[in-house]
Amino acid sequence: MQPGALSTFLKRGAIWGFIVLELIFFTVAGEFLSLSEKAFMDVDNMLLLFKQSAPIGIIAMGMTIIMINGNIDLSVGAIYALSAVILLDSMTWPVFAGLGDWVIPVGWLLALLTGLVLGALNGLIVWKTGVDAFIVTLGAMLGYRGLVFMYNGEQPTSHLNWTLVDFAEAQVLGLHTATWFLLLVTAAIWFLMNRTVHGRNAYAIGNNREAAVNAGIRVGPHMMINFMIVGFLAALSAVVFYSESGSVNPNDGELYELWVITAVVLGGTKLTGGAGSILSTFGGVLAIQLLRKGLSHIGADTETVNLVIGLILIAVLFLDRQLNVKGKEELKI
């Protein structure tokens, strides 16, 4: 194996190695501390892990595209919450009173359109103003969260449709509905990034935006489409989760953007753009959820979980920076 191929293998395989280490550590630690009678690697536990990974995981697939592009979207948590409010509240609107259970696809459609439109607005502003995506989506995060609070004050928005709950809680081949959505989204985004011109352009723009423009790639519209994708997926994540829960609080989805970005970076996507892998992001999502579940399994509190994940993120970013510096030095030789 050539040195370059070995380096690529190690980078892409690192997240899966980390997951294996997590499984071993928390299994041994749980048995040693005897804090739980249930085995950490129990099959039901693992299936639940996939289900719990879905809300963050679905959004993370869209965020991977954005970050490969060299951008970032801090508004996904607010879009998630606003889409959830639209989903649940729209099913109670008098105009749809005669639809019966057919109001479910109407609610889904309105929620997904909400995410798509808000994502398009983010992308359009980034494209037409040239303002950095970090600043634009930071403002959007505050604005969209404000809309959530304006919609229903500080009160939760609730509507429980038992047909919808049955669908959300269903299992096919042992996997929950939410897990299937996560797997299908992962497969679709993998295909987009690896088998289409749009995917190749995303890497090209993230690697060198000026060169991409010179090559004839329409960078503005391309980036707008990517913001629409992540907005749509944030709304889809809300649809999947709140179809089962039936109640959304105005603060729901807060810090989701940070959990999503952590998972994407942990999967090896560069903050500077031009490099990233959908499958590695999937691994990053599982690693984050496994870490949260594992620390809880051995008795750690929420503050400890956040501290550990924060330290891991800092370590990953530092390692990524060191590798980038080393790569640039090698190019100079």
Side-chain angles (χ1 to χ4, degrees):
M1 184 180 288
Q2 296 295 323
L6 177 61
S7 175
T8 301
F9 172 78
L10 290 174
K11 287 180 180 179
R12 293 183 178 179
I15 188 60
W16 303 105
F18 181 61
I19 289 173
V20 171
L21 288 176
E22 284 184 301
L23 289 170
I24 295 171
F25 173 78
F26 289 122
T27 300
V28 174
E31 292 177 357
F32 178 75
L33 296 173
S34 301
L35 292 172
S36 175
E37 295 180 359
K38 192 171 184 180
F40 181 63
M41 291 185 69
D42 181 83
V43 173
D44 290 336
N45 231 355
M46 292 299 104
L47 291 176
L48 183 59
L49 174 78
F50 278 98
K51 179 184 178 181
Q52 293 172 337
S53 299
I56 294 295
I58 291 171
I59 303 174
M61 296 305 148
M63 186 68 80
T64 303
I65 306 176
I66 292 290
M67 290 175 66
I68 286 173
N69 238 175
N71 292 313
I72 202 163
D73 190 342
L74 299 178
S75 68
V76 289
I79 292 175
Y80 171 89
L82 187 55
S83 299
V85 168
I86 296 297
L87 168 71
L88 298 180
D89 196 56
S90 64
M91 289 192 285
T92 67
W93 293 350
V95 68
F96 301 137
L99 292 180
D101 281 342
W102 285 104
V103 76
I104 293 173
V106 173
W108 282 356
L109 179 62
L110 291 174
L112 295 173
L113 280 174
T114 298
L116 197 66
V117 169
L118 295 181
L121 181 60
N122 287 346
L124 185 65
I125 294 173
V126 171
W127 171 19
K128 292 299 184 180
T129 66
V131 176
D132 190 270
F134 180 91
I135 302 299
V136 171
T137 58
L138 178 62
M141 175 184 72
L142 298 173
Y144 300 158
R145 182 64 64 180
L147 290 176
V148 174
F149 277 94
M150 288 172 63
Y151 197 94
N152 209 17
E154 295 188 0
Q155 301 301 313
T157 301
S158 302
H159 178 71
L160 202 59
N161 182 301
W162 289 108
T163 302
L164 195 54
V165 172
D166 289 341
F167 170 78
E169 292 182 345
Q171 293 187 35
V172 179
L173 301 177
L175 299 178
H176 297 88
T177 301
T179 304
W180 280 111
F181 271 99
L182 173 59
L183 294 176
L184 289 172
V185 167
T186 301
I189 300 300
W190 180 89
F191 182 84
L192 176 69
M193 297 302 289
N194 291 277
R195 294 291 185 270
T196 69
V197 173
H198 185 87
R200 290 193 292 272
N201 287 347
Y203 284 100
I205 292 169
N207 190 51
N208 190 323
R209 190 169 296 184
E210 186 177 342
V213 172
N214 292 335
I217 298 174
R218 299 185 65 207
V219 173
H222 174 93
M223 291 194 302
M224 182 174 171
I225 290 171
N226 290 339
F227 277 103
M228 292 172 69
I229 290 173
V230 75
F232 176 86
L233 292 179
L236 179 62
S237 177
V239 166
V240 171
F241 182 78
Y242 290 102
S243 291
E244 181 175 357
S245 85
S247 181
V248 54
N249 290 305
N251 290 318
D252 284 3
E254 282 191 349
L255 299 183
Y256 262 35
E257 53 279 345
L258 299 184
W259 286 105
V260 168
I261 292 167
T262 300
V264 175
V265 171
L266 194 59
T269 299
K270 294 181 181 296
L271 282 172
T272 53
S277 164
I278 297 300
L279 293 182
S280 292
T281 291
F282 184 78
V285 170
L286 294 182
I288 289 291
Q289 191 60 39
L290 192 59
L291 193 60
R292 296 172 69 180
K293 198 173 186 68
L295 288 169
S296 176
H297 179 72
I298 63 175
D301 54 25
T302 303
E303 291 76 11
T304 302
V305 174
N306 290 337
L307 174 62
V308 171
I309 293 178
L311 291 174
I312 289 175
L313 176 60
I314 292 170
V316 169
L317 292 173
F318 175 76
L319 181 60
D320 180 70
R321 177 177 173 80
Q322 293 302 111
L323 290 173
N324 286 339
V325 170
K326 184 177 179 181
K328 289 177 181 178
E329 289 176 349
E330 288 175 352
L331 289 173
K332 293 177 182 178
I333 297 175

